[in-house]
């Protein structure tokens, strides 16, 4: 009978294998525990920040205490503090501040009259001290100012009332241009690239997308060199745009739409080393003057170019074959617009009208539009 020269060799291998498995198991358990710990910490920090900034009950108490003592007043105060038919729902933002100055505006006397009309909440022909304090607090907010100026425009949410620095807008059914709303806990773990791909799958039919896009182009017209000056869209992301059940575009968040005069004051003479230092919001960019190491005041891209950048993938996905090539050509011409280009305003109007005409012709006779 054959025997091994090393009788214990067959015994050592199982022990080595068992030790190796124990090491792998311990390593797996350690990294699993570490992942759970880090994930829990991230969730805790995010939840703490969210609850700290979305404290609806505390906000209501502060506002109502001021209303009951006569410090502030407004058409929404009674519904919020007395009948309690107005209440806080979902928190849409955790940003702690959104202040800006009024700045110099065109037709300033007309603007003042418009503001006084809105400030007179009870429509008695006089602005009380409480109403005046409320209006002044609200005028520090870009969004409120823009809603007052554009209150007769289709794509601006209607101002329903105010109380102190709280203002109430009409409800918008769909609060993002595309995609689905997921709990913020899940959002943390979805890669941005995959999220963009997933969002494009959850969109309306193409004719309805075209109608929404036309609404955005019309809004760009509304804020471009209007009677009260030029306004710049400094965050043209899908989450700031929504639409109603008729697929009419509605602006959901206008806090980063600022008067051009304000932006110039905010950004000029800012110290910079490259163009990336000369950005306000996410989309308002100027250039860095390397000779002075200061930001210039002229924004590089007009609103229309930023809107077309947002609409490019949105409109080209599922676009009818007979207009796809022309649509793509017009969108890229639009994206290439620069504020410093010669005859920019003429090009701006031409491109905008061509895009609207192309889209309207295609959807005019469809049921989905």
């Amino acid at each position: 009978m054959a025997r091994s020269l090393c009788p214990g060799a067959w015994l050592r291998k199982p022990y080595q294998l068992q030790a190796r498995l124990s090491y792998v198991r311990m390593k797996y358990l350690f990294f699993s525990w570490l992942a759970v710990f880090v994930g829990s910490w991230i969730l805790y920090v995010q939840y703490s920040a969210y609850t700290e900034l979305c404290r609806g009950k505390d906000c209501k108490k502060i506002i109502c205490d001021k209303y009951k003592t006569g410090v502030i007043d407004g058409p929404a105060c009674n519904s919020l503090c007395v009948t309690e038919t107005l209440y806080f729902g979902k928190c849409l933002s955790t940003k702690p501040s959104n202040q800006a100055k009024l700045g110099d505006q065109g037709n300033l006397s007309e603007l003042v009259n418009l503001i006084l009309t809105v400030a007179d909440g009870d429509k008695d022909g006089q602005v009380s001290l409480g109403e005046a304090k409320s209006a002044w607090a609200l005028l520090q907010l870009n969004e409120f100012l823009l809603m007052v100026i554009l209150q007769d425009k289709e794509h601006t949410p209607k101002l329903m009332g105010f109380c102190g620095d709280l203002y109430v807008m009409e409800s918008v059914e769909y609060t993002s241009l595309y995609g689905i709303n997921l709990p913020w806990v899940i959002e943390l773990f979805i890669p941005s690239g995959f999220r963009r791909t997933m969002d494009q799958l959850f969109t309306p039919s193409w004719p309805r997308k075209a109608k929404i896009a036309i609404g955005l182009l019309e809004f760009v017209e509304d804020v471009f060199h209007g009677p009260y000056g030029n306004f710049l869209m400094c965050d043209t992301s899908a989450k700031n745009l929504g639409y109603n059940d008729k697929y009419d575009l509605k602006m959901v968040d206008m806090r980063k739409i600022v008067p051009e005069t304000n932006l110039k004051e905010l950004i000029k003479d800012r110290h910079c080393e490259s163009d990336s230092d000369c950005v306000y919001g996410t989309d308002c960019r100027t250039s860095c003057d390397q000779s002075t190491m200061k930001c210039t005041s002229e924004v590089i891209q007009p609103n229309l170019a930023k809107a077309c950048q947002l609409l490019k993938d949105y409109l080209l996905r599922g676009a009818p074959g007979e207009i796809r090539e022309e649509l793509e050509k017009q969108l890229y011409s639009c994206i290439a617009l620069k504020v410093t280009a010669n005859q920019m305003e003429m090009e701006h109007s031409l491109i905008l009208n061509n895009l609207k005409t192309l889209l309207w012709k295609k959807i005019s006779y469809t049921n989905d539009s």
Side-chain angles (χ1 to χ4, degrees):
M1 185 168 67
R3 293 182 180 272
S4 170
L5 294 174
C6 301
W10 67 278
L11 292 173
R12 285 198 297 270
K13 286 185 180 180
Y15 287 129
Q16 290 173 354
L17 182 61
Q18 186 176 3
R20 190 177 191 86
L21 287 172
S22 298
Y23 171 75
V24 171
R25 189 179 294 112
M26 288 297 295
K27 186 177 179 181
Y28 172 77
L29 288 173
F30 172 76
F31 282 109
S32 298
W33 175 85
L34 185 63
V36 170
F37 175 78
V38 172
S40 301
W41 177 253
I42 292 172
L43 291 176
Y44 171 75
V45 171
Q46 291 286 336
Y47 179 75
S48 298
Y50 182 86
T51 53
E52 176 66 21
L53 293 169
C54 291
R55 50 193 195 280
K57 290 182 179 179
D58 294 340
C59 290
K60 179 182 175 181
K61 185 178 185 306
I62 293 169
I63 291 169
C64 290
D65 285 347
K66 289 182 179 180
Y67 169 63
K68 289 170 183 176
T69 55
V71 176
I72 60 173
D73 199 358
C77 291
N78 188 67
S79 300
L80 179 69
C81 305
V82 181
T83 62
E84 296 189 348
T85 53
L86 177 66
Y87 57 90
F88 293 105
K90 183 174 66 173
C91 182
L92 297 179
S93 175
T94 57
K95 295 178 182 177
S97 178
N98 255 314
Q99 295 185 347
K101 295 185 233 176
L102 182 57
D104 297 326
Q105 301 291 329
N107 298 332
L108 189 57
S109 60
E110 290 183 23
L111 180 58
V112 170
N113 290 332
L114 185 60
I115 290 168
L116 289 174
T117 301
V118 173
D120 181 16
D122 56 9
K123 305 303 177 188
D124 63 353
Q126 296 180 333
V127 178
S128 67
L129 180 60
E131 289 172 336
K133 287 183 176 180
S134 295
W136 178 250
L138 289 167
L139 286 174
Q140 312 309 308
L141 308 174
N142 292 331
E143 186 170 46
F144 181 81
L145 174 62
L146 204 57
M147 277 193 292
V148 170
I149 290 172
L150 301 176
Q151 60 183 320
D152 60 337
K153 301 297 183 181
E154 179 184 359
H155 306 296
T156 306
K158 302 303 178 189
L159 181 64
M160 309 301 290
F162 61 88
C163 183
D165 57 0
L166 168 76
Y167 55 96
V168 184
M169 306 186 312
E170 69 170 306
S171 176
V172 178
E173 283 83 355
Y174 302 94
T175 56
S176 181
L177 186 62
Y178 51 70
I180 54 173
N181 292 322
L182 297 173
W184 61 270
V185 177
I186 298 175
E187 291 277 9
L188 291 174
F189 299 100
I190 299 179
S192 58
F194 178 73
R195 178 61 163 143
R196 285 193 297 271
T197 302
M198 184 175 68
D199 281 343
Q200 291 292 346
L201 298 175
F202 294 90
T203 57
S205 64
W206 191 86
R208 287 171 173 169
K209 288 195 294 184
K211 185 179 181 182
I212 294 166
I214 290 169
L216 178 56
L217 297 175
E218 289 173 345
F219 181 79
V220 169
E221 283 184 290
D222 291 340
V223 298
F224 181 67
H225 291 307
Y228 303 107
N230 188 29
F231 286 78
L232 299 174
M233 300 169 67
C234 295
D235 186 0
T236 48
S237 58
K239 62 181 172 46
N240 293 334
L241 312 175
Y243 53 94
N244 60 21
D245 55 0
K246 296 180 180 178
Y247 300 92
D248 297 316
L249 178 104
K250 296 290 182 180
M251 300 300 297
V252 174
D253 190 339
M254 299 190 293
R255 289 173 295 178
K256 287 297 182 183
I257 301 177
V258 299
E260 185 177 26
T261 51
N262 284 13
L263 181 64
K264 288 183 175 182
E265 289 298 319
L266 285 168
I267 209 164
K268 76 173 185 179
D269 298 329
R270 180 193 290 183
H271 176 75
C272 62
E273 295 182 2
S274 66
D275 290 350
S276 61
D277 297 320
C278 302
V279 182
Y280 177 80
T282 57
D283 295 321
C284 286
R285 302 172 181 273
T286 70
S287 57
C288 180
D289 186 341
Q290 293 296 321
S291 62
T292 61
M293 305 301 285
K294 300 285 185 182
C295 293
T296 59
S297 60
E298 293 299 324
V299 175
I300 296 170
Q301 257 192 328
N303 292 335
L304 182 58
K306 292 177 280 191
C308 288
Q309 181 68 57
L310 175 64
L311 292 174
K312 179 172 68 70
D313 292 338
Y314 187 70
L315 284 176
L316 290 178
R317 183 182 179 87
E322 59 270 24
I323 69 162
R324 182 183 173 84
E325 185 177 347
E326 178 61 23
L327 178 60
E328 187 172 14
K329 178 183 174 182
Q330 289 195 25
L331 285 169
Y332 276 106
S333 296
C334 176
I335 293 168
L337 274 174
K338 300 292 182 186
V339 171
T340 53
N342 292 332
Q343 300 181 323
M344 191 279 292
E345 290 194 23
M346 185 181 296
E347 288 184 34
H348 183 285
S349 298
L350 186 64
I351 289 173
L352 191 147
N353 288 330
N354 286 344
L355 262 174
K356 284 173 60 180
T357 301
L358 179 66
L359 294 173
W360 268 127
K361 279 185 177 179
K362 190 60 190 173
I363 68 172
S364 293
Y365 304 105
T366 61
N367 293 328
D368 283 347
S369 65

